[in-house]
Amino acid sequence: MSKEYNIAVIPGDGTGPEVVAEGVKVLETVADISGFSFKFTYYRLGGDHYKATGEILSDETIESLATSDAICLGAIGHPDVRPGILEKGILLKLRFHFDQYVNLRPVKLYEGVDTPLKDKGPADIDFVVVRENTEGLYAGAGGYLKRGTPDEVAVQESINTRKGVERCLRYAFEYCRKRNRRKKLTLCGKTNVLTFAFDLWERAFYEVAKEYPDIETDYAHVDAICMWMVKNPEWFDVIVTDNMFGDIITDLAAMIQGGMGIAAGANINPDGVSMFEPIGGSAPKYTGKGIINPIAAISSAQLMLETLGEEKAASFIESAVIKVLRDDLKNVGAGKMGFTTGEVGDLVADYIQKNS
Ligand code: IPM
Ligand code: MN
């Protein structure tokens, strides 16, 4: 019997369900021609579910998700739910629970997509950010003293464990080697000010680097990375960094690759259950209109196939995305594509069907 993958689907909030549907459509098309199949199980999680039931994410749901081969997520975030509740209660909880210690964000400017960077094109913007995804400022360490009084103190600590940092670095070195492009890994830190946390990162980086003599090592402070990403994005091949810096620089990176409609992300536990998501969020103002760009969700499905080891099937998706962005879409922005969300999914699926 051919291989069947169990995929948990969390459509979530806002435009999440619309874009996830296109990711699933494309996955089904790819499976048809690739000799494997998917069993999709849907989970109702997110702001609407929380408002209706008071439940954020139950232990039973987590147990059930744990039986899947991978998770496809649409978006989490609701205009009527206080910031932090759903993000911490669902998204971060899943990342932490499943120990998805790498947040992988490819940054690639495809032909036919506009970048706000003057004089830069697809040859200049093609790198990957490996963001540590379970520690740092996101670990939730800290607290208050005398909250709500004039003497209030709030402390939020960045947790950096040697093990946590090292496994992320190793992933980045391996990824850089496998990617086999410039073979250059840039550590993004702040060693001039965060002299404890990034001292650990830096020492671990150069120690691990000894095992990868084929990879060129490079270091830049996070503020300088922001500058170079705009001025000379062609310098980067793979960037590795901590959770908070990774969060910030990947939004900047998403903009230079054409915006949130394009940017895909993966939360990876190489030995466990990984989760794939478009990084654009729930986009409440576009919800239900069928005008949001599903390419980020489709590309995150591609990342899922790569992570599952279905490289060939993944490459079918990328070829189709390249074609549709180059020849068909008028623009990548919501409402400006010249097609509906569903039609863009159809274009990708049709191309795969006819050309793979
Ligand atoms: C992201 C998002 C999340 C993060 C939020 C929604 C918690 O911004 O995936 O980058 O900060 O990691
Ligand atoms: Mn972010």
Side-chain angles (χ1 to χ4, degrees), residues 169-200:
L169 290 170
R170 252 174 225 290
Y171 185 96
F173 276 105
E174 288 290 336
Y175 189 90
C176 192
R177 179 179 272 172
K178 190 163 159 237
R179 177 173 149 90
N180 199 20
R181 303 290 279 265
R182 304 262 309 283
K183 290 197 154 192
K184 174 176 164 186
L185 180 61
T186 303
L187 172 64
C188 163
K190 189 73 186 171
T191 52
N192 53 347
V193 175
L194 306 182
T195 50
F196 308 127
F198 280 99
D199 174 56
L200 188 160

PDB file of all heavy atoms in Angstrom, residues 169-200:
ATOM      1  N   LEU A 169      21.834  25.719  16.118  1.00  0.00           N
ATOM      2  CA  LEU A 169      23.017  25.998  15.292  1.00  0.00           C
ATOM      3  C   LEU A 169      23.343  24.820  14.383  1.00  0.00           C
ATOM      4  O   LEU A 169      23.620  24.985  13.195  1.00  0.00           O
ATOM      5  CB  LEU A 169      24.226  26.296  16.178  1.00  0.00           C
ATOM      6  CG  LEU A 169      24.192  27.624  16.944  1.00  0.00           C
ATOM      7  CD1 LEU A 169      25.330  27.668  17.956  1.00  0.00           C
ATOM      8  CD2 LEU A 169      24.290  28.814  15.980  1.00  0.00           C
ATOM      9  N   ARG A 170      23.297  23.628  14.960  1.00  0.00           N
ATOM     10  CA  ARG A 170      23.595  22.426  14.174  1.00  0.00           C
ATOM     11  C   ARG A 170      22.622  22.279  13.009  1.00  0.00           C
ATOM     12  O   ARG A 170      23.003  21.954  11.892  1.00  0.00           O
ATOM     13  CB  ARG A 170      23.466  21.183  15.067  1.00  0.00           C
ATOM     14  CG  ARG A 170      24.754  20.559  15.395  1.00  0.00           C
ATOM     15  CD  ARG A 170      24.599  19.416  16.392  1.00  0.00           C
ATOM     16  NE  ARG A 170      25.648  19.606  17.364  1.00  0.00           N
ATOM     17  CZ  ARG A 170      26.923  19.432  17.101  1.00  0.00           C
ATOM     18  NH1 ARG A 170      27.315  19.009  15.916  1.00  0.00           N
ATOM     19  NH2 ARG A 170      27.830  19.673  18.018  1.00  0.00           N
ATOM     20  N   TYR A 171      21.350  22.539  13.311  1.00  0.00           N
ATOM     21  CA  TYR A 171      20.342  22.472  12.243  1.00  0.00           C
ATOM     22  C   TYR A 171      20.721  23.452  11.125  1.00  0.00           C
ATOM     23  O   TYR A 171      20.657  23.127   9.942  1.00  0.00           O
ATOM     24  CB  TYR A 171      18.947  22.805  12.802  1.00  0.00           C
ATOM     25  CG  TYR A 171      17.861  22.635  11.773  1.00  0.00           C
ATOM     26  CD1 TYR A 171      17.125  21.451  11.701  1.00  0.00           C
ATOM     27  CD2 TYR A 171      17.580  23.640  10.845  1.00  0.00           C
ATOM     28  CE1 TYR A 171      16.143  21.276  10.745  1.00  0.00           C
ATOM     29  CE2 TYR A 171      16.606  23.470   9.876  1.00  0.00           C
ATOM     30  CZ  TYR A 171      15.883  22.287   9.843  1.00  0.00           C
ATOM     31  OH  TYR A 171      14.919  22.120   8.875  1.00  0.00           O
ATOM     32  N   ALA A 172      21.136  24.657  11.528  1.00  0.00           N
ATOM     33  CA  ALA A 172      21.471  25.696  10.548  1.00  0.00           C
ATOM     34  C   ALA A 172      22.684  25.288   9.710  1.00  0.00           C
ATOM     35  O   ALA A 172      22.694  25.461   8.488  1.00  0.00           O
ATOM     36  CB  ALA A 172      21.722  27.027  11.253  1.00  0.00           C
ATOM     37  N   PHE A 173      23.698  24.740  10.345  1.00  0.00           N
ATOM     38  CA  PHE A 173      24.874  24.290   9.589  1.00  0.00           C
ATOM     39  C   PHE A 173      24.485  23.184   8.608  1.00  0.00           C
ATOM     40  O   PHE A 173      24.876  23.203   7.436  1.00  0.00           O
ATOM     41  CB  PHE A 173      25.973  23.786  10.534  1.00  0.00           C
ATOM     42  CG  PHE A 173      26.854  24.891  11.075  1.00  0.00           C
ATOM     43  CD1 PHE A 173      26.720  25.338  12.379  1.00  0.00           C
ATOM     44  CD2 PHE A 173      27.825  25.487  10.263  1.00  0.00           C
ATOM     45  CE1 PHE A 173      27.532  26.365  12.876  1.00  0.00           C
ATOM     46  CE2 PHE A 173      28.636  26.503  10.757  1.00  0.00           C
ATOM     47  CZ  PHE A 173      28.487  26.938  12.066  1.00  0.00           C
ATOM     48  N   GLU A 174      23.716  22.205   9.107  1.00  0.00           N
ATOM     49  CA  GLU A 174      23.283  21.102   8.237  1.00  0.00           C
ATOM     50  C   GLU A 174      22.458  21.628   7.068  1.00  0.00           C
ATOM     51  O   GLU A 174      22.626  21.201   5.928  1.00  0.00           O
ATOM     52  CB  GLU A 174      22.432  20.079   9.023  1.00  0.00           C
ATOM     53  CG  GLU A 174      23.204  19.227  10.011  1.00  0.00           C
ATOM     54  CD  GLU A 174      24.128  18.206   9.346  1.00  0.00           C
ATOM     55  OE1 GLU A 174      23.874  17.827   8.192  1.00  0.00           O
ATOM     56  OE2 GLU A 174      25.108  17.799   9.999  1.00  0.00           O
ATOM     57  N   TYR A 175      21.559  22.549   7.385  1.00  0.00           N
ATOM     58  CA  TYR A 175      20.669  23.093   6.353  1.00  0.00           C
ATOM     59  C   TYR A 175      21.481  23.811   5.283  1.00  0.00           C
ATOM     60  O   TYR A 175      21.233  23.676   4.086  1.00  0.00           O
ATOM     61  CB  TYR A 175      19.646  24.035   6.996  1.00  0.00           C
ATOM     62  CG  TYR A 175      18.565  24.455   6.038  1.00  0.00           C
ATOM     63  CD1 TYR A 175      17.389  23.721   5.917  1.00  0.00           C
ATOM     64  CD2 TYR A 175      18.737  25.573   5.214  1.00  0.00           C
ATOM     65  CE1 TYR A 175      16.402  24.087   5.011  1.00  0.00           C
ATOM     66  CE2 TYR A 175      17.764  25.945   4.303  1.00  0.00           C
ATOM     67  CZ  TYR A 175      16.604  25.202   4.214  1.00  0.00           C
ATOM     68  OH  TYR A 175      15.642  25.569   3.314  1.00  0.00           O
ATOM     69  N   CYS A 176      22.467  24.572   5.751  1.00  0.00           N
ATOM     70  CA  CYS A 176      23.320  25.346   4.854  1.00  0.00           C
ATOM     71  C   CYS A 176      24.100  24.407   3.932  1.00  0.00           C
ATOM     72  O   CYS A 176      24.228  24.647   2.727  1.00  0.00           O
ATOM     73  CB  CYS A 176      24.262  26.182   5.712  1.00  0.00           C
ATOM     74  SG  CYS A 176      25.136  27.437   4.802  1.00  0.00           S
ATOM     75  N   ARG A 177      24.553  23.315   4.489  1.00  0.00           N
ATOM     76  CA  ARG A 177      25.299  22.326   3.700  1.00  0.00           C
ATOM     77  C   ARG A 177      24.379  21.671   2.674  1.00  0.00           C
ATOM     78  O   ARG A 177      24.710  21.551   1.506  1.00  0.00           O
ATOM     79  CB  ARG A 177      25.874  21.269   4.651  1.00  0.00           C
ATOM     80  CG  ARG A 177      26.640  20.185   3.954  1.00  0.00           C
ATOM     81  CD  ARG A 177      27.192  19.195   4.962  1.00  0.00           C
ATOM     82  NE  ARG A 177      28.495  19.583   5.466  1.00  0.00           N
ATOM     83  CZ  ARG A 177      29.125  18.967   6.474  1.00  0.00           C
ATOM     84  NH1 ARG A 177      28.540  17.963   7.099  1.00  0.00           N
ATOM     85  NH2 ARG A 177      30.313  19.364   6.846  1.00  0.00           N
ATOM     86  N   LYS A 178      23.200  21.280   3.109  1.00  0.00           N
ATOM     87  CA  LYS A 178      22.247  20.604   2.228  1.00  0.00           C
ATOM     88  C   LYS A 178      21.753  21.550   1.130  1.00  0.00           C
ATOM     89  O   LYS A 178      21.597  21.160  -0.025  1.00  0.00           O
ATOM     90  CB  LYS A 178      21.075  20.102   3.071  1.00  0.00           C
ATOM     91  CG  LYS A 178      20.151  19.203   2.329  1.00  0.00           C
ATOM     92  CD  LYS A 178      19.249  18.404   3.293  1.00  0.00           C
ATOM     93  CE  LYS A 178      18.025  17.918   2.538  1.00  0.00           C
ATOM     94  NZ  LYS A 178      16.759  18.351   3.109  1.00  0.00           N
ATOM     95  N   ARG A 179      21.546  22.781   1.480  1.00  0.00           N
ATOM     96  CA  ARG A 179      21.093  23.792   0.514  1.00  0.00           C
ATOM     97  C   ARG A 179      22.131  23.990  -0.590  1.00  0.00           C
ATOM     98  O   ARG A 179      21.803  24.183  -1.737  1.00  0.00           O
ATOM     99  CB  ARG A 179      20.836  25.090   1.297  1.00  0.00           C
ATOM    100  CG  ARG A 179      20.424  26.279   0.483  1.00  0.00           C
ATOM    101  CD  ARG A 179      20.038  27.411   1.433  1.00  0.00           C
ATOM    102  NE  ARG A 179      20.321  28.721   0.884  1.00  0.00           N
ATOM    103  CZ  ARG A 179      19.463  29.424   0.152  1.00  0.00           C
ATOM    104  NH1 ARG A 179      18.266  28.944  -0.085  1.00  0.00           N
ATOM    105  NH2 ARG A 179      19.796  30.604  -0.319  1.00  0.00           N
ATOM    106  N   ASN A 180      23.411  23.902  -0.168  1.00  0.00           N
ATOM    107  CA  ASN A 180      24.502  23.851  -1.136  1.00  0.00           C
ATOM    108  C   ASN A 180      24.519  25.026  -2.106  1.00  0.00           C
ATOM    109  O   ASN A 180      24.663  24.857  -3.308  1.00  0.00           O
ATOM    110  CB  ASN A 180      24.412  22.513  -1.894  1.00  0.00           C
ATOM    111  CG  ASN A 180      25.718  22.164  -2.564  1.00  0.00           C
ATOM    112  OD1 ASN A 180      26.768  22.701  -2.172  1.00  0.00           O
ATOM    113  ND2 ASN A 180      25.679  21.310  -3.558  1.00  0.00           N
ATOM    114  N   ARG A 181      24.331  26.217  -1.576  1.00  0.00           N
ATOM    115  CA  ARG A 181      24.412  27.414  -2.422  1.00  0.00           C
ATOM    116  C   ARG A 181      25.731  28.115  -2.130  1.00  0.00           C
ATOM    117  O   ARG A 181      26.781  27.627  -2.495  1.00  0.00           O
ATOM    118  CB  ARG A 181      23.213  28.344  -2.145  1.00  0.00           C
ATOM    119  CG  ARG A 181      21.901  27.683  -2.356  1.00  0.00           C
ATOM    120  CD  ARG A 181      21.663  27.418  -3.837  1.00  0.00           C
ATOM    121  NE  ARG A 181      21.187  28.587  -4.507  1.00  0.00           N
ATOM    122  CZ  ARG A 181      19.922  28.874  -4.731  1.00  0.00           C
ATOM    123  NH1 ARG A 181      18.980  28.034  -4.331  1.00  0.00           N
ATOM    124  NH2 ARG A 181      19.568  29.970  -5.358  1.00  0.00           N
ATOM    125  N   ARG A 182      25.652  29.244  -1.419  1.00  0.00           N
ATOM    126  CA  ARG A 182      26.879  29.968  -1.094  1.00  0.00           C
ATOM    127  C   ARG A 182      27.662  29.274   0.020  1.00  0.00           C
ATOM    128  O   ARG A 182      28.820  29.572   0.248  1.00  0.00           O
ATOM    129  CB  ARG A 182      26.516  31.398  -0.643  1.00  0.00           C
ATOM    130  CG  ARG A 182      25.700  32.162  -1.674  1.00  0.00           C
ATOM    131  CD  ARG A 182      26.584  33.049  -2.481  1.00  0.00           C
ATOM    132  NE  ARG A 182      27.416  33.878  -1.621  1.00  0.00           N
ATOM    133  CZ  ARG A 182      26.981  34.968  -0.973  1.00  0.00           C
ATOM    134  NH1 ARG A 182      25.729  35.361  -1.095  1.00  0.00           N
ATOM    135  NH2 ARG A 182      27.786  35.667  -0.215  1.00  0.00           N
ATOM    136  N   LYS A 183      26.983  28.409   0.748  1.00  0.00           N
ATOM    137  CA  LYS A 183      27.573  27.719   1.909  1.00  0.00           C
ATOM    138  C   LYS A 183      28.145  28.708   2.914  1.00  0.00           C
ATOM    139  O   LYS A 183      29.281  28.580   3.382  1.00  0.00           O
ATOM    140  CB  LYS A 183      28.634  26.728   1.448  1.00  0.00           C
ATOM    141  CG  LYS A 183      28.029  25.535   0.724  1.00  0.00           C
ATOM    142  CD  LYS A 183      29.043  24.439   0.680  1.00  0.00           C
ATOM    143  CE  LYS A 183      28.429  23.080   0.580  1.00  0.00           C
ATOM    144  NZ  LYS A 183      29.382  22.030   0.820  1.00  0.00           N
ATOM    145  N   LYS A 184      27.310  29.698   3.227  1.00  0.00           N
ATOM    146  CA  LYS A 184      27.726  30.724   4.175  1.00  0.00           C
ATOM    147  C   LYS A 184      26.654  30.842   5.253  1.00  0.00           C
ATOM    148  O   LYS A 184      25.468  31.006   4.934  1.00  0.00           O
ATOM    149  CB  LYS A 184      27.865  32.046   3.419  1.00  0.00           C
ATOM    150  CG  LYS A 184      28.156  33.242   4.288  1.00  0.00           C
ATOM    151  CD  LYS A 184      28.366  34.455   3.393  1.00  0.00           C
ATOM    152  CE  LYS A 184      28.282  35.744   4.174  1.00  0.00           C
ATOM    153  NZ  LYS A 184      28.338  36.907   3.275  1.00  0.00           N
ATOM    154  N   LEU A 185      27.074  30.722   6.494  1.00  0.00           N
ATOM    155  CA  LEU A 185      26.119  30.834   7.604  1.00  0.00           C
ATOM    156  C   LEU A 185      26.457  32.074   8.420  1.00  0.00           C
ATOM    157  O   LEU A 185      27.565  32.208   8.938  1.00  0.00           O
ATOM    158  CB  LEU A 185      26.177  29.581   8.487  1.00  0.00           C
ATOM    159  CG  LEU A 185      25.220  29.570   9.679  1.00  0.00           C
ATOM    160  CD1 LEU A 185      23.753  29.641   9.234  1.00  0.00           C
ATOM    161  CD2 LEU A 185      25.428  28.326  10.540  1.00  0.00           C
ATOM    162  N   THR A 186      25.475  32.962   8.526  1.00  0.00           N
ATOM    163  CA  THR A 186      25.660  34.210   9.285  1.00  0.00           C
ATOM    164  C   THR A 186      24.964  34.094  10.631  1.00  0.00           C
ATOM    165  O   THR A 186      23.759  33.823  10.678  1.00  0.00           O
ATOM    166  CB  THR A 186      25.060  35.396   8.501  1.00  0.00           C
ATOM    167  OG1 THR A 186      25.672  35.463   7.209  1.00  0.00           O
ATOM    168  CG2 THR A 186      25.278  36.710   9.244  1.00  0.00           C
ATOM    169  N   LEU A 187      25.708  34.288  11.695  1.00  0.00           N
ATOM    170  CA  LEU A 187      25.083  34.366  13.022  1.00  0.00           C
ATOM    171  C   LEU A 187      24.645  35.804  13.246  1.00  0.00           C
ATOM    172  O   LEU A 187      25.440  36.741  13.102  1.00  0.00           O
ATOM    173  CB  LEU A 187      26.081  33.956  14.114  1.00  0.00           C
ATOM    174  CG  LEU A 187      25.610  34.172  15.567  1.00  0.00           C
ATOM    175  CD1 LEU A 187      24.399  33.305  15.910  1.00  0.00           C
ATOM    176  CD2 LEU A 187      26.749  33.891  16.560  1.00  0.00           C
ATOM    177  N   CYS A 188      23.353  35.972  13.564  1.00  0.00           N
ATOM    178  CA  CYS A 188      22.799  37.300  13.842  1.00  0.00           C
ATOM    179  C   CYS A 188      22.652  37.434  15.352  1.00  0.00           C
ATOM    180  O   CYS A 188      21.903  36.683  15.970  1.00  0.00           O
ATOM    181  CB  CYS A 188      21.448  37.417  13.135  1.00  0.00           C
ATOM    182  SG  CYS A 188      20.399  38.757  13.721  1.00  0.00           S
ATOM    183  N   GLY A 189      23.375  38.362  15.960  1.00  0.00           N
ATOM    184  CA  GLY A 189      23.324  38.501  17.417  1.00  0.00           C
ATOM    185  C   GLY A 189      23.431  39.939  17.865  1.00  0.00           C
ATOM    186  O   GLY A 189      23.041  40.872  17.134  1.00  0.00           O
ATOM    187  N   LYS A 190      23.956  40.099  19.053  1.00  0.00           N
ATOM    188  CA  LYS A 190      24.193  41.444  19.582  1.00  0.00           C
ATOM    189  C   LYS A 190      25.273  41.301  20.641  1.00  0.00           C
ATOM    190  O   LYS A 190      25.054  41.566  21.826  1.00  0.00           O
ATOM    191  CB  LYS A 190      22.874  42.014  20.148  1.00  0.00           C
ATOM    192  CG  LYS A 190      22.923  43.485  20.528  1.00  0.00           C
ATOM    193  CD  LYS A 190      22.944  44.430  19.336  1.00  0.00           C
ATOM    194  CE  LYS A 190      23.150  45.872  19.814  1.00  0.00           C
ATOM    195  NZ  LYS A 190      23.390  46.813  18.689  1.00  0.00           N
ATOM    196  N   THR A 191      26.426  40.818  20.180  1.00  0.00           N
ATOM    197  CA  THR A 191      27.506  40.476  21.113  1.00  0.00           C
ATOM    198  C   THR A 191      28.120  41.709  21.789  1.00  0.00           C
ATOM    199  O   THR A 191      28.828  41.569  22.780  1.00  0.00           O
ATOM    200  CB  THR A 191      28.650  39.720  20.396  1.00  0.00           C
ATOM    201  OG1 THR A 191      29.032  40.481  19.243  1.00  0.00           O
ATOM    202  CG2 THR A 191      28.227  38.335  19.957  1.00  0.00           C
ATOM    203  N   ASN A 192      27.827  42.892  21.237  1.00  0.00           N
ATOM    204  CA  ASN A 192      28.394  44.103  21.825  1.00  0.00           C
ATOM    205  C   ASN A 192      27.603  44.608  23.032  1.00  0.00           C
ATOM    206  O   ASN A 192      28.084  45.439  23.780  1.00  0.00           O
ATOM    207  CB  ASN A 192      28.530  45.208  20.757  1.00  0.00           C
ATOM    208  CG  ASN A 192      27.233  45.475  20.003  1.00  0.00           C
ATOM    209  OD1 ASN A 192      26.284  44.690  20.095  1.00  0.00           O
ATOM    210  ND2 ASN A 192      27.177  46.565  19.272  1.00  0.00           N
ATOM    211  N   VAL A 193      26.391  44.107  23.213  1.00  0.00           N
ATOM    212  CA  VAL A 193      25.575  44.564  24.343  1.00  0.00           C
ATOM    213  C   VAL A 193      25.053  43.381  25.164  1.00  0.00           C
ATOM    214  O   VAL A 193      25.165  43.366  26.392  1.00  0.00           O
ATOM    215  CB  VAL A 193      24.380  45.418  23.848  1.00  0.00           C
ATOM    216  CG1 VAL A 193      23.463  45.777  25.017  1.00  0.00           C
ATOM    217  CG2 VAL A 193      24.876  46.684  23.157  1.00  0.00           C
ATOM    218  N   LEU A 194      24.509  42.368  24.493  1.00  0.00           N
ATOM    219  CA  LEU A 194      23.969  41.203  25.208  1.00  0.00           C
ATOM    220  C   LEU A 194      25.117  40.221  25.424  1.00  0.00           C
ATOM    221  O   LEU A 194      25.197  39.166  24.801  1.00  0.00           O
ATOM    222  CB  LEU A 194      22.813  40.590  24.421  1.00  0.00           C
ATOM    223  CG  LEU A 194      21.693  41.580  24.061  1.00  0.00           C
ATOM    224  CD1 LEU A 194      20.558  40.890  23.322  1.00  0.00           C
ATOM    225  CD2 LEU A 194      21.144  42.276  25.305  1.00  0.00           C
ATOM    226  N   THR A 195      26.007  40.625  26.330  1.00  0.00           N
ATOM    227  CA  THR A 195      27.300  39.952  26.443  1.00  0.00           C
ATOM    228  C   THR A 195      27.231  38.604  27.165  1.00  0.00           C
ATOM    229  O   THR A 195      28.220  37.899  27.234  1.00  0.00           O
ATOM    230  CB  THR A 195      28.321  40.862  27.156  1.00  0.00           C
ATOM    231  OG1 THR A 195      27.705  41.329  28.346  1.00  0.00           O
ATOM    232  CG2 THR A 195      28.710  42.043  26.293  1.00  0.00           C
ATOM    233  N   PHE A 196      26.066  38.247  27.708  1.00  0.00           N
ATOM    234  CA  PHE A 196      25.932  36.898  28.273  1.00  0.00           C
ATOM    235  C   PHE A 196      25.312  35.963  27.232  1.00  0.00           C
ATOM    236  O   PHE A 196      25.903  34.969  26.834  1.00  0.00           O
ATOM    237  CB  PHE A 196      25.072  36.897  29.536  1.00  0.00           C
ATOM    238  CG  PHE A 196      25.517  37.915  30.555  1.00  0.00           C
ATOM    239  CD1 PHE A 196      24.613  38.837  31.078  1.00  0.00           C
ATOM    240  CD2 PHE A 196      26.833  37.963  30.988  1.00  0.00           C
ATOM    241  CE1 PHE A 196      25.026  39.774  32.001  1.00  0.00           C
ATOM    242  CE2 PHE A 196      27.247  38.899  31.922  1.00  0.00           C
ATOM    243  CZ  PHE A 196      26.336  39.812  32.427  1.00  0.00           C
ATOM    244  N   ALA A 197      24.105  36.323  26.811  1.00  0.00           N
ATOM    245  CA  ALA A 197      23.364  35.441  25.907  1.00  0.00           C
ATOM    246  C   ALA A 197      24.147  35.212  24.617  1.00  0.00           C
ATOM    247  O   ALA A 197      24.323  34.071  24.177  1.00  0.00           O
ATOM    248  CB  ALA A 197      21.997  36.032  25.594  1.00  0.00           C
ATOM    249  N   PHE A 198      24.601  36.289  24.001  1.00  0.00           N
ATOM    250  CA  PHE A 198      25.247  36.093  22.704  1.00  0.00           C
ATOM    251  C   PHE A 198      26.710  35.681  22.810  1.00  0.00           C
ATOM    252  O   PHE A 198      27.305  35.246  21.820  1.00  0.00           O
ATOM    253  CB  PHE A 198      24.988  37.277  21.771  1.00  0.00           C
ATOM    254  CG  PHE A 198      23.619  37.149  21.162  1.00  0.00           C
ATOM    255  CD1 PHE A 198      22.538  37.860  21.669  1.00  0.00           C
ATOM    256  CD2 PHE A 198      23.402  36.237  20.138  1.00  0.00           C
ATOM    257  CE1 PHE A 198      21.275  37.679  21.145  1.00  0.00           C
ATOM    258  CE2 PHE A 198      22.137  36.048  19.609  1.00  0.00           C
ATOM    259  CZ  PHE A 198      21.062  36.773  20.116  1.00  0.00           C
ATOM    260  N   ASP A 199      27.245  35.757  24.021  1.00  0.00           N
ATOM    261  CA  ASP A 199      28.545  35.122  24.225  1.00  0.00           C
ATOM    262  C   ASP A 199      28.383  33.606  24.100  1.00  0.00           C
ATOM    263  O   ASP A 199      29.152  32.928  23.425  1.00  0.00           O
ATOM    264  CB  ASP A 199      29.103  35.511  25.603  1.00  0.00           C
ATOM    265  CG  ASP A 199      30.381  34.748  25.908  1.00  0.00           C
ATOM    266  OD1 ASP A 199      31.324  34.838  25.100  1.00  0.00           O
ATOM    267  OD2 ASP A 199      30.410  34.028  26.931  1.00  0.00           O
ATOM    268  N   LEU A 200      27.324  33.096  24.744  1.00  0.00           N
ATOM    269  CA  LEU A 200      27.047  31.657  24.627  1.00  0.00           C
ATOM    270  C   LEU A 200      26.811  31.283  23.160  1.00  0.00           C
ATOM    271  O   LEU A 200      27.383  30.318  22.641  1.00  0.00           O
ATOM    272  CB  LEU A 200      25.815  31.307  25.483  1.00  0.00           C
ATOM    273  CG  LEU A 200      25.445  29.835  25.658  1.00  0.00           C
ATOM    274  CD1 LEU A 200      24.545  29.664  26.891  1.00  0.00           C
ATOM    275  CD2 LEU A 200      24.718  29.252  24.454  1.00  0.00           C
TER     276      LEU A 200
END
